[in-house]
Amino acid sequence: MDQYRCRTCKKFNLKYGDRLKVSIFHNDKKVYETEAPYSETFGNVPKGKPLCYLNSLLQLSFALNQDNFATTYNIQSGSEWNVEVTKLDF
């Protein structure tokens, strides 16, 4: 990746295959938490499993392979939502 990649990618020096802990908060209450790989393609994870990827705006994003992440976990957007990402060391 180049100088335009996301801040989180730079902060953790992410490489494809790295595992991340993702916590999502709504009004400071944790509503979702998982471990997911930082993946180049959706096909690198089984159907229905979570992944982290760099979207077309070069933002770290979260998804389910062949499913709808936001609908499945009732995640929305707005100022009352926050995400915390930590790189897991193995």
Side-chain angles (χ1 to χ4, degrees):
M1 289 191 199
D2 59 20
Q3 71 271 19
Y4 300 109
R5 69 183 179 171
C6 73
R7 287 180 290 171
T8 302
C9 298
K10 288 181 191 177
K11 177 181 176 181
F12 294 126
N13 191 27
L14 290 181
K15 295 176 181 48
Y16 295 125
D18 286 348
R19 304 263 326 150
L20 302 175
K21 179 181 174 183
V22 178
S23 302
I24 299 177
F25 299 84
H26 182 248
N27 291 323
D28 297 323
K29 179 183 177 193
K30 188 184 300 181
V31 295
Y32 176 79
E33 185 171 82
T34 194
E35 293 180 13
Y38 175 56
S39 185
E40 187 172 16
T41 67
F42 282 62
N44 286 342
V45 300
K47 183 177 178 179
K49 295 296 182 183
L51 67 140
C52 305
Y53 70 101
L54 201 58
N55 70 20
S56 61
L57 299 175
L58 301 175
Q59 299 167 329
L60 188 64
S61 299
F62 316 103
L64 297 175
N65 185 15
Q66 298 184 27
D67 208 342
N68 187 310
F69 182 89
T71 300
T72 299
Y73 298 111
N74 196 28
I75 304 296
Q76 299 175 24
S77 62
S79 61
E80 66 276 3
W81 291 87
N82 293 295
V83 178
E84 183 178 287
V85 177
T86 307
K87 183 177 176 183
L88 299 173
D89 295 318
F90 285 70

